[in-house]
Structure formats: C-alpha cells, structure tokens
Amino acid sequence: MPPPSSPQQKPTDSSTAASTRSRPTWLRWLIGFVLWTTGLAVAGALGLLLTIAVALSVAYPNLPDISDLADYRPKLPLRVYSSEGALLGEFGEERRNLTPIQEIPKVMKDAVLAIEDSRFFQHGGVDYKGVIRAGLANLGRIKSQGASTITMQVARNVYLSSEKTFTRKIYEILLTFKLEHMLTKDQILEIYMNQIYLGNRAYGFSAAAEAYFGKPLKSISIAEAAMLAGLPKAPSAYNPISNPKRARSRQLYIIERMEENGFITAQEAAAAKKEDLKIRSGPDNTRIHAEYVAEMARQLIFTQYGNEAYTRGLNVYTTLNAGEQEAAYTALRRGIMDYERRQQYRGPEKFVVLPTAAQDVEDAVDDALANHPDNGDVMAAVVLEAGPRKIVAARANGDNLEITGDGLKPAQSGLSDKAPPNIKIRRGAVIRVVKTPKGAWEITQLPEVEGAFVALDPRSGAIRALVGGFDFDKNKFNHAAQAWRQPGSSFKPFIYSAALEKGFTPATVVNDAPLFFDAGTTGGQPWEPKNYDGKYDGPMTLRTGLAKSKNMISIRILQAVGPKTAQEWVSRFGFDAEKHPAYLTMALGAGSVTPLQMASAYSVFANGGYRVNPWLIAKVTDHKGRVISEVTPPAVSELPRAIDARNAFVMNSLLQEVTRSGTAARAQGTLKRPDLAGKTGTTNDSVDAWFAGYQPTIAAVTWIGYDTPRNLGSRETGGGLSLPVWISFMERALKGVPVSEPVVPPGVVNVGGEWFYEEYARNAGIASVGLEEQQRTTGGPDVAPHAPPPTEERNRILDLFRN
C-alpha cells in the first residue's frame, strides 16, 4: 500500500511544474545555450592549460641557456689606437662599443623606452595592456602597431631566428619569462642597448652615435637620441643618411612620445624638433690616416689570437704618434702629387654621355662618380664644359667648379685641339681636381707612382709613423715593410762605416777618376760605372766624397775593404747578407732593402751604435681596459751593439756634412738646425729615389718609385723627390725638440777640425802617404776593430791612390 502523500509537497511540485510550463521557449533555449557555452569554454580553458603545460614541459628544457647573459659579452671588434688613444682602425663584422647601463645617458634610455616599451619597468616581460592597446589600435588603423616588449626583442635578437612562426613565438614568450626571472631590468636594458642592430654596421647605440653623428653617446642631444631611437624598427628605412625624410618623420614622432610619457617638457620637445642635426654622410675625415699601420697590427694580433681577435673586443695600442703619423701621410701625398704635376697628362679616367636636361645631367653625374670616388683631397668631377681657357665640372655633391689659368697647366696636353681622343678633355670626361693652397681649383690625375715613409725612435725601435703607399684603398701593398728595392747611394754610409774599421779616416784622400772593369775582371759583362752627373773631380777626402755622393770614391773604398768583408759588416745593421752579394756593385746600393729596414739601420748611427728592431704594439687590453700584454722597451745601453761608439760618432759627422753642404744641404738650410744627418739615394736610371736621415731622437726614411720599376725621369733624384717629404715631416716631428749636442766618445780626437780614431791621429792630415807610413801589422783577415790595416789591405788602399 503506497505511503500517504505529504500535504505540503504537492503544492510545491505543482507550482514548480506550473512555473516551468509557464517559461517562454526562447528563455529555456538561452539558458541552455549559456550553460553549454560556459561548459565548453571551461573545457577549452582546461584543454589550453593542459596544452600549455605539455608545451612548457617539452619546450622549456630546450630553451637556450641564458646564464651567460649575466656577464653579457657580445661580439666586439678589434680596435687599433695610437699611443695617445686616437682610433686608427677597427676590424670585425660588428661595429660595437660595449657601454654599461650606468654610462648610457638618461636621454637615450628615455627615447628608447618612449617608442619601444614605455611600461618596461612595470610589466613582467609581456605587456598585456600593450597587447590590448595595440589590438584596439590595429582595428581602427590601416597602419598596425606592434606589442613586442624590450625583453621580447632581447629574446628574439640574441637567441632566436627572425622567422615568423607560431613555434618561434611560443619560444619567444617562454624565453621572455625566463629572462625576466633570471636578470634584472637594468641588465635586460643594457643588453638591448648594446645588442640591437642600428644600420651602417653599427650594433648598439654607442656605436650608432659614432657612426651617424661622429660623437660619443654621452654627448648626444634629445633630438639626436630620438633619431637613433627610431632605428631599431627598421634600420634601413629610417637611416638618416640614406632616408633622411623618413628618419626625420620618425624622429618627430618619438619626440612627441617622449613628451607624452613625461620624459621631456614641452619646451624641450619644441627645441628638439627645431634642432639642426649634423649627420655624418661620408667617411670619417677626422680619423688618423694610418690604414697600413692598422693592418699591420691586425695581422700581428690575428697571428696570436686567431678569429677571436675580431670578437673579443681587444684594444691594441701602438707606438704610433698621431700627430707625426698625420704629418707623414700629408707629406708623402704632397710629395707624390708634386711629382705628378711634372708628368705627362694621361687623360680622363672615363667618358660618359651627358643628357641635355638639367635633372638628367645631375643623375648622370651621380652615376658616373659612384664608380670614381674621391681619393682624399684628390677629388673626382665630370666635365660640363671644356675649352682651352676654362673648364666647368660638376662634383658629386652638386657643386659646379671652374678651372682656369694655372689650374689648367697640368692637363694642357688634354686641352689641345690635336689631343688624341683618349686624352682629350671634353664634355662628359671624368677628371680629377685638387684645391691649391690659394683656394683655386687645379686639374690633376691619380698618380701611378708609389711611395713609402717610416719613422722610428732610434733609441728603442718604436715605430712613430708609417705610410705604406699613396692610398690604402687604391693599393694595399705595404711598401714601407714589404717592398724590396735597391737603395742606391743611400747604402753608401754602411760601406764607409766598414772602411773606418780598416784604417780609413774622413781625411783620407781617394781619387775620383773613371773606372773600367773588363769581362775578365767581372766574370761577365764589362762594367764602366759613372758618377751621377758624369763629372770626375780627382782626388778628394772621404768626407767630400760622401757629401757629393761620388760613385767612384765608394767603389774604390769597397775595393780596399773587400766585398766579402763589407757584406759581413752590413749585416751588423740588420741587412740580409744574401740580399747584398759580395760584388763591387754593392758600393752603389745594388742590393735589396725595405724602407723599414733602412730606418732601423740608420738608427744605429743615430743612437751611438746600437742595433734596434722595429716594433709596433705597445699594449693590448680587453674591452674593459684590463691589460693583457704590455711591452717595456729596454734602455738603449741594454741593446746589442752593432758598431763601436766612435764609428757611429765619425759616421754621424760625415752624414751631417751631407745635410750641411752635400746633396741634402736643403735639410739644414730649411730646418735651420745642425743636428740633422742623412743620405740621398738615386738608383741606376733613376728607378728609385730615397732619403734616409735622422736627428738623435727620430730616424726617418722616404722612398718613391713605381711598383713595376721604371725610370722616374732623367732629372728626378732622391734629393729632389724624397728629401722634401722628409723635411716636411721633420718640421712637425722636431717642433720644440732642442738641438742635440753630440758627446765625443773615448778614442776619438779632433785634429785640424777633423775627427780621427786616436791611433790614427798622429798621421792626421797626411792622406795616402800617411797610410803607407803607418805601422805595418801582420795576421789573418780577422783584425782588431781599430788596428792599422794588415799588409794585404794596406796594399789595396795604396792601389786606390795610385789609380
């Protein structure tokens, strides 16, 4: 029997059922839809969370290790500096200056934060507000906005590829959280400010400030900071050099953003918008011209460190003096261009067809000069009008220049009506021009001749200046260190030095008379050497013979000394004996030397007889300035002795005579100081032109010649070509340097105004007869350095006087 029904329950059930029956169908459907959607959303969320958890468990262990970012070490280039710290060269794929966050100016950080991530210090790596804001902005704008934070950019730029895939984006977000967890905000910002690529080979804002404005980051203004801050988004599109209009537009927008975020005031924003920026649009003309030296340093460092040399941020400090290096570079280029003015005009470098429309002409000029860049002060131009009395030419910068009067003389043959087509200067010709000291324009041409200059400190061998050629970009061959050339008469002092050890004195008289050696004597072709001027002046002292650079005197001296003995003697100065065969032609400098080798050899005379080895690198530091290696040169007295002090003293006296009254008299005449010494050198057929000389604090050598040896010109000599370069350099190098007074070493005496070894002083002034009357000695070929000559050598010397 069923239980009795409760009297209270029935009304309740019946009312509920009635209520349910009374609901509209649409409401029941809506409630069901909401419940179904909510359940689906919850299930989806749970699924997403599960998916993320699985992704995290799989992806997170595969994330790169970022522990090394705590000690951030990006690829830093190798930099080469002068002894004073002037930048000479930079090597490496990435131009970068690692700048600690504390040293980055606030204005630069504010500009970056304003445009890239204004809430950087508030969010945890992903700016959710920024994502929403960018999403809303993108719905209403054609131009989209990004939402990548600085941390996300660091994750992407340091560790991930640039491909746009869902997987990479997941890794980017995961890595962002990892970076935020392990590093401080300042560390992340420091990495970003140093790592980001900003165009023009510049990585990081410090390098960009140098690349675009030529100034250190600490010195930039608000306007400049805003310009740089616009580069990360698109370094090419917003490059102020190649796209100034777009770069300017973005700069103005960033200034506004800086104001909106409270980083600058309205007044500062207005002033920044009006600031006229000076963008570096060409090569750095303020940098010291030391390309050959920088390359030498690079090779030395690469030999030691390998490829790491270009990424470790090594700073190489050379022995170079920046002021002297510039003086050497300027002097050599001027000397070569002065020579070029005396040469036949070889014609324009190219001919182009110029249209008639003005705008089209400008475009054609730009296209033509793109392949003919300026070479320092030797600039390229395209001829617009050409006549016998005036040339009008266009430069790449849009300037038109006129060449008239004396400015046309170097190219007169190209203006003649009879000039052949390849020489004729006409409309469309690509020519070279230079500005004269008076400010006028002069037509010229790129030289074919080459040259080298090197200066050493003779007390240590430290290289103070070195120029390996006319232009490094034109010819990278380092003539100062690599060119083996005949030294000509500049080699004679080393033969004279050997003679002093064999009984000769500055007062010894030798006959300057013609010589002839038949085939039986030479073992080959007959040889009839001549003096440069073809004149013979008869008997004269060694002092006069060297001052006048008499070839017959040098040959007779070498005959007396003996070619084999002389060959061994010159090796004391650092010369390679095998490059100076033991023949009489050695007296005329027929061997092979490099300019650097000659500077080292002349240093022996300058420092009192000590052998020095040239060296370049004084110190190497890491990017934080910590010293890795450093060179402390020994005192000059601790160097190995090459020749006796009195030999060096007497040779110095003879070489001073050359610069006082001989072939280099222009040296003392121009510089007005007696402590200069040196020797000119001109090889056979005027193929090589030299001057090697010194003052006790600096030894320097100039060489000029063609890479493929050929005649420089019948009137071109070392005294006319190379000596002026040396003088020009010494004017700068010796400015403020007091005149040096030589100290007379023991064993040297002065008799009648001439210097003698003490043991020969009793016969001073008795030329050849005096030698014959000297005490005779016997013995083998090895004789004490200052003993009278043995019989064999004495007879050879007497033969000289008889001949």
Side-chain angles (χ1 to χ4, degrees):
M1 178 177 166
S5 299
S6 169
Q8 292 83 9
Q9 187 175 353
K10 282 185 177 179
T12 303
D13 291 343
S14 61
S15 64
T16 301
S19 175
T20 302
R21 285 193 301 269
S22 66
R23 287 177 181 170
T25 302
W26 66 268
L27 185 58
R28 292 199 305 272
W29 180 86
L30 179 61
I31 293 171
F33 177 77
V34 170
L35 292 174
W36 180 82
T37 304
T38 303
L40 187 63
V42 170
L46 291 173
L48 180 62
L49 290 174
L50 182 61
T51 302
I52 292 174
V54 173
L56 283 172
S57 63
V58 174
Y60 201 84
N62 294 324
L63 292 176
D65 180 16
I66 64 170
S67 59
D68 57 336
L69 282 185
D71 184 20
Y72 174 58
R73 294 183 182 180
K75 290 181 179 180
L76 297 174
L78 167 69
R79 290 188 174 92
V80 182
Y81 297 92
S82 70
S83 59
E84 308 92 338
L87 183 63
L88 306 179
E90 191 175 45
F91 302 93
E93 294 179 4
E94 301 178 1
R95 180 185 298 163
R96 190 197 310 274
N97 297 320
L98 182 57
T99 309
I101 192 67
Q102 299 86 353
E103 297 178 17
I104 298 175
K106 184 177 182 298
V107 65
M108 189 70 252
K109 289 185 282 190
D110 289 346
V112 169
L113 293 175
I115 190 62
E116 294 294 333
D117 192 354
S118 61
R119 298 187 65 254
F120 173 70
F121 286 100
Q122 282 77 50
H123 62 67
V126 178
D127 186 4
Y128 303 105
K129 291 183 179 180
V131 171
I132 296 171
R133 183 176 62 250
L136 293 175
N138 294 339
L139 289 175
R141 297 184 184 181
I142 297 176
K143 185 177 180 181
S144 64
Q145 285 190 6
S148 290
T149 65
I150 283 177
T151 312
M152 294 170 72
Q153 292 184 57
V154 169
R156 181 167 61 245
N157 292 328
V158 176
Y159 289 110
L160 303 176
S161 68
S162 59
E163 61 176 344
K164 295 182 178 181
T165 64
F166 179 76
T167 302
R168 190 201 62 79
K169 195 65 178 178
I170 291 294
Y171 272 95
E172 181 181 311
I173 294 172
L174 293 177
L175 192 53
T176 295
F177 289 138
K178 191 173 183 178
L179 288 169
E180 288 280 346
H181 175 69
M182 296 190 65
L183 303 178
T184 67
K185 286 288 188 179
D186 276 348
Q187 285 177 310
I188 294 171
L189 187 59
E190 177 180 288
I191 295 168
Y192 177 83
M193 301 285 284
N194 284 282
Q195 181 70 23
I196 194 74
Y197 177 62
L198 300 170
N200 213 27
R201 282 184 58 230
Y203 288 77
F205 289 93
S206 182
E210 293 281 357
Y212 293 108
F213 301 117
K215 59 168 61 175
L217 186 62
K218 64 182 179 181
S219 302
I220 62 169
S221 64
I222 294 174
E224 290 167 336
M227 182 70 78
L228 295 179
L231 290 166
K233 183 178 181 180
S236 297
Y238 299 114
N239 187 313
I241 296 175
S242 56
N243 288 300
K245 291 183 180 179
R246 294 187 68 181
R248 170 65 172 165
S249 176
R250 185 157 176 80
Q251 177 213 29
L252 295 176
Y253 174 64
I254 292 173
I255 292 173
E256 291 172 0
R257 291 282 296 158
M258 292 177 73
E259 182 184 356
E260 290 172 11
N261 284 276
F263 293 137
I264 58 175
T265 65
Q267 292 78 10
E268 289 174 326
K273 289 179 180 180
K274 294 178 181 178
E275 184 177 334
D276 183 22
L277 300 188
K278 296 180 179 179
I279 306 295
R280 175 186 288 171
S281 58
D284 183 4
N285 294 324
T286 63
R287 179 172 290 186
I288 305 300
H289 288 285
E291 294 85 355
Y292 291 97
V293 174
E295 174 60 15
M296 290 173 68
R298 182 199 68 79
Q299 292 178 16
L300 291 169
I301 295 299
F302 179 79
T303 300
Q304 186 171 358
Y305 294 97
N307 287 326
E308 284 190 357
Y310 308 130
T311 60
R312 288 183 55 178
L314 298 177
N315 298 308
V316 181
Y317 293 88
T318 66
T319 58
L320 220 67
N321 179 283
E324 291 174 8
Q325 176 64 25
E326 274 301 290
Y329 172 83
T330 303
L332 182 63
R333 282 181 67 95
R334 184 186 299 124
I336 289 176
M337 291 308 297
D338 286 345
Y339 169 79
E340 197 58 49
R341 287 186 183 92
R342 300 192 290 272
Q343 306 312 302
Q344 184 75 19
Y345 186 62
R346 295 184 292 274
E349 295 179 14
K350 185 180 180 180
F351 295 95
V352 296
V353 177
L354 295 181
T356 54
Q359 181 58 48
D360 293 339
V361 169
E362 290 183 10
D363 293 340
V365 168
D366 289 342
D367 291 342
L369 296 184
N371 296 320
H372 296 268
D374 292 345
N375 188 298
D377 56 351
V378 183
M379 294 172 277
V382 176
V383 174
L384 303 179
E385 302 174 22
R389 295 185 179 182
K390 185 176 76 170
I391 288 177
V392 178
R395 294 269 294 118
N397 60 5
D399 292 345
N400 287 352
L401 51 90
E402 289 188 2
I403 310 171
T404 58
D406 291 342
L408 299 174
K409 285 184 178 179
Q412 203 62 51
S413 60
L415 295 171
S416 170
D417 292 335
K418 298 180 180 180
N422 63 317
I423 303 295
K424 181 72 174 177
I425 299 175
R426 57 184 182 272
R427 178 177 168 83
V430 178
I431 62 172
R432 293 282 168 172
V433 296
V434 294
K435 222 166 193 178
T436 66
K438 295 181 179 180
W441 289 102
E442 179 181 83
I443 193 168
T444 186
Q445 56 192 345
L446 280 175
E448 292 182 346
V449 75
E450 274 292 355
F453 185 92
V454 59
L456 304 180
D457 185 333
R459 299 160 296 186
S460 66
I463 297 174
R464 290 170 57 172
L466 185 146
V467 186
F470 179 79
D471 181 75
F472 183 78
D473 292 330
K474 176 173 171 277
N475 188 346
K476 292 178 172 55
F477 182 74
N478 189 340
H479 299 83
Q482 297 174 298
W484 291 93
R485 307 292 295 218
Q486 288 189 347
S489 296
S490 63
F491 196 75
K492 289 177 181 176
F494 307 106
I495 306 300
Y496 276 63
S497 172
L500 294 181
E501 302 303 304
K502 297 299 181 182
F504 283 79
T505 74
T508 300
V509 175
V510 180
N511 192 15
D512 177 34
L515 283 168
F516 177 78
F517 301 92
D518 58 27
T521 302
T522 63
Q525 295 294 321
W527 183 41
E528 188 177 6
K530 300 181 183 299
N531 286 327
Y532 174 78
D533 58 6
K535 299 177 181 178
Y536 304 93
D537 297 333
M540 64 179 62
T541 64
L542 260 67
R543 179 176 291 276
T544 302
L546 185 62
K548 292 187 175 182
S549 196
K550 291 290 187 176
N551 290 341
M552 301 304 107
I553 302 296
S554 297
I555 294 172
R556 284 189 163 92
I557 290 174
L558 182 57
Q559 278 184 299
V561 171
K564 187 63 179 177
T565 300
Q567 183 190 44
E568 294 171 354
W569 184 259
V570 300
S571 66
R572 292 168 172 251
F573 295 85
F575 295 116
D576 302 328
E578 64 273 13
K579 290 187 179 293
H580 299 274
Y583 302 117
L584 291 179
T585 51
M586 190 197 315
L588 307 184
S592 297
V593 300
T594 68
L596 185 59
Q597 202 177 50
M598 286 290 278
S600 177
Y602 269 78
S603 293
V604 175
F605 296 137
N607 66 27
Y610 296 95
R611 168 85 175 272
V612 296
N613 289 316
W615 57 287
L616 178 64
I617 296 178
K619 183 174 66 174
V620 179
T621 70
D622 64 13
H623 69 281
K624 292 185 177 180
R626 294 174 297 206
V627 176
I628 297 174
S629 63
E630 191 167 9
V631 175
T632 302
V636 66
S637 59
E638 297 174 3
L639 295 170
R641 183 166 280 286
I643 59 176
D644 191 79
R646 58 184 190 168
N647 186 301
F649 177 85
V650 174
M651 283 305 307
N652 180 65
S653 173
L654 291 174
L655 291 170
Q656 280 183 307
E657 188 66 38
V658 176
T659 63
R660 188 186 69 84
S661 65
T663 56
R666 184 175 175 182
Q668 290 194 31
T670 303
L671 298 175
K672 308 298 182 185
R673 52 189 304 154
D675 58 345
L676 304 176
K679 182 70 185 74
T680 54
T682 309
T683 60
N684 194 33
D685 291 330
S686 297
V687 169
D688 299 274
W690 293 82
F691 184 76
Y694 60 87
Q695 189 269 351
T697 63
I698 189 165
V701 172
T702 308
W703 166 84
I704 292 176
Y706 288 97
D707 277 339
T708 301
R710 72 175 196 251
N711 190 287
L712 288 164
S714 59
R715 296 184 180 181
E716 304 294 351
T717 65
L721 264 180
S722 295
L723 177 60
V725 175
W726 188 89
I727 292 173
S728 177
F729 169 79
M730 284 296 189
E731 282 180 329
R732 164 64 176 82
L734 296 179
K735 191 174 183 178
V737 177
V739 173
S740 175
E741 295 293 336
V743 177
V744 182
V748 176
V749 294
N750 190 288
V751 178
E754 187 57 273
W755 297 103
F756 296 88
Y757 286 3
E758 195 171 34
E759 59 267 34
Y760 301 148
R762 61 181 178 274
N763 295 323
I766 310 180
S768 61
V769 177
L771 280 177
E772 189 173 15
E773 292 177 351
Q774 285 181 15
Q775 179 183 357
R776 299 185 180 187
T777 61
T778 58
D782 296 326
V783 183
H786 309 300
T791 304
E792 209 174 276
E793 292 168 354
R794 179 182 62 84
N795 290 338
R796 281 204 303 271
I797 294 171
L798 292 176
D799 286 342
L800 296 181
F801 307 135
R802 298 190 185 100
N803 294 332

